Amino acid sequence: MHFIPRKIYNEEHELFRQSLADFVAQEITPHNAQWEKDHMVSRESWLKLGENGFLGMQVPEAYGGLGIEDFRYNAIFTEVIAQSGCAGPAVGYPLHNDIVLPYILEYGSEETKQKYLPKTVSGESILAIAMTEPGAGSDLQSMRTTAEDKGDHYLVNGSKTFITNGYLADLVVVAVKTDPTQGAKGTSLLLMEASAEGFSKGKPFEKVGLHAQDTCELFFDNVKVPKENLLGEEGKGFGYLMNKLAQERLVVGLGAIGAAEKALETTIQYTKERKAFGKSVAQFQNTKYKMAELATEVQIGRVFADYCTELHDEGKLDGATASMVKYWLTDLQCKVADECVQLHGGYGYIWDYQIARSYADARVQRIYAGTNEIMKELISRKIFS
């Protein structure tokens, strides 16, 4: 529901949106309930995304992609899946496309790109990124996973946790300490194959929400990683992470506003149909006023999200603004989901109802990709710089 016309997209974008929406309705939504029971999407779904050109759209044609550098297509991809209410897929697929792939595209060697990119586009190789550790959380500088230089390879030891796509991942960008004495300056990024000896995975976590997302722990016990799998330069990994986190936070924000729109739409329909005291719940003043408030805030959020998408497409979205997107839109998502559960009454607490899943799925958004408290810290630095 958009009261203000959206000006960010043209006719080609809208054709793409419709094509994607049709795909989601046919290939994602009908399977999501089973995926939630399995704690992961199917590998087949990744292959179908690849077959239909929805993975790695920005990858150059030389490596099997479409070479589409217009980020607005990626934004539509995140938005449409989020609006489907299938929150696990809405996190995992965009993470592959917009959070992990950029590291390989920008910092991978020519040989690395030729070797790995085609399968990431086809869906044969699922991507994850491993930053967070059990004792560090949002404090990336405190990571302890080490990579010891052994001449032609690194020897990696340590563990990571809360890894999105972790269980299904075939290829993982792993943040390591190549020089533990140098703090942030001793951090490097390695591209690690999940099939490597010494690489193991924990079972997918039993989470409050995002049940179809295969989030798990990763363990590294003397894993040999070839030197050519270093992304960029040794010791510059922390800078690379900071450089790419703006897009990650925008993507989380885009998923948040899409999910908020879904929750609102679901609740509007429910209150029209649900009867109480001889009339529909939508006819009560409290319902009308509450929906007016939420619709207004969601509209504000959508305008902000669209404008920041436009800025990012032009290379003008700075880190502080990206932090605003992530913090404000995920807070909004949680608020909308909570209010909409209330308007559903007791049924809002029943898992069979979409709004119950929306409520459970929303909460973690304020935690990952940097907690919202960290976002406020980053925004404040810009304010007082």
Side-chain angles (χ1 to χ4, degrees), residues 285-306:
Q285 186 183 68
N286 178 68
T287 304
K288 291 190 287 186
Y289 285 13
K290 185 58 67 178
M291 296 309 290
E293 292 170 12
L294 296 179
T296 301
E297 292 187 55
V298 169
Q299 177 65 85
I300 292 167
R302 171 50 67 196
V303 173
F304 184 44
D306 280 0

Side-chain angles (χ1 to χ4, degrees), residues 81-356:
I81 301 179
Q83 288 172 338
S84 74
C86 301
V91 170
Y93 300 144
L95 178 121
H96 174 100
N97 272 351
D98 301 325
I99 295 173
V100 191
L101 250 179
Y103 287 98
I104 304 173
L105 277 171
E106 186 161 343
Y107 304 117
S109 66
E110 180 60 31
E111 292 74 21
T112 297
K113 292 176 185 177
Q114 290 179 3
K115 182 178 181 180
Y116 293 115
L117 285 177
K119 287 188 176 181
T120 67
V121 173
S122 67
E124 295 170 82
S125 185
I126 299 167
L127 299 177
I129 184 165
M131 292 185 272
T132 306
E133 296 187 1
S138 292
D139 182 9
L140 297 180
Q141 295 189 51
S142 296
M143 68 178 69
R144 294 184 176 181
T145 297
T146 57
E148 191 178 350
D149 192 333
K150 292 293 185 180
D152 65 341
H153 68 273
Y154 293 101
L155 201 60
V156 180
N157 284 282
S159 65
K160 301 288 182 177
T161 194
F162 307 138
I163 307 306
T164 303
N165 291 351
Y167 195 77
L168 288 175
D170 302 289
L171 196 61
V172 184
V173 174
V174 183
V176 298
K177 284 292 181 69
T178 41
D179 186 348
T181 67
Q182 291 296 307
K185 293 181 180 178
T187 304
S188 302
L189 301 182
L190 300 179
L191 200 53
M192 191 183 293
E193 295 181 16
S195 58
E197 186 178 350
F199 185 123
S200 60
K201 302 171 178 178
K203 291 182 179 179
F205 289 119
E206 295 274 358
K207 304 185 301 299
V208 171
L210 299 185
H211 291 172
Q213 167 43 233
D214 53 313
T215 314
C216 71
E217 292 179 281
L218 304 180
F219 305 97
F220 316 117
D221 183 10
N222 288 327
V223 180
K224 290 183 179 179
V225 179
K227 275 286 183 68
E228 54 265 31
N229 281 31
L230 173 69
L231 293 175
E233 297 179 40
E234 190 174 292
K236 293 192 174 180
F238 193 78
Y240 299 155
L241 292 171
M242 294 303 102
N243 184 39
K244 294 298 179 190
L245 281 173
Q247 178 162 303
E248 176 175 350
R249 286 159 183 166
L250 173 61
V251 170
V252 172
L254 293 175
I257 190 63
E261 288 170 335
K262 174 65 175 179
L264 189 62
E265 173 192 315
T266 300
T267 306
I268 290 170
Q269 192 60 39
Y270 177 82
T271 57
K272 286 179 179 177
E273 296 170 358
R274 174 70 171 163
K275 297 290 192 292
F277 303 101
K279 57 183 178 180
S280 72
V281 172
Q283 290 177 281
F284 289 99
Q285 186 183 68
N286 178 68
T287 304
K288 291 190 287 186
Y289 285 13
K290 185 58 67 178
M291 296 309 290
E293 292 170 12
L294 296 179
T296 301
E297 292 187 55
V298 169
Q299 177 65 85
I300 292 167
R302 171 50 67 196
V303 173
F304 184 44
D306 280 0
Y307 184 61
C308 288
T309 299
E310 205 166 15
L311 283 177
H312 184 59
D313 196 43
E314 296 168 356
K316 297 176 182 177
L317 183 69
D318 63 78
T321 308
S323 296
M324 290 179 176
V325 174
K326 194 272 177 184
Y327 138 62
W328 198 79
L329 292 178
T330 57
D331 264 17
L332 176 63
Q333 178 189 359
C334 287
K335 176 184 177 179
V336 171
D338 183 67
E339 295 280 17
C340 288
V341 165
Q342 190 71 18
L343 288 167
H344 275 71
Y347 290 106
Y349 207 64
I350 303 299
W351 194 252
D352 288 343
Y353 282 73
Q354 172 66 46
I355 199 62

Side-chain angles (χ1 to χ4, degrees), residues 41-98:
V41 303
S42 66
R43 278 198 167 269
E44 183 185 16
S45 74
W46 285 95
L47 295 173
K48 286 186 176 179
L49 281 165
E51 286 170 17
N52 285 273
F54 295 130
L55 294 179
M57 293 176 283
Q58 72 272 42
V59 172
E61 293 180 19
Y63 310 114
L66 298 173
I68 297 173
E69 296 183 1
D70 183 346
F71 183 78
R72 289 173 293 179
Y73 286 96
N74 303 62
I76 291 169
F77 180 82
T78 299
E79 177 184 327
V80 170
I81 301 179
Q83 288 172 338
S84 74
C86 301
V91 170
Y93 300 144
L95 178 121
H96 174 100
N97 272 351
D98 301 325

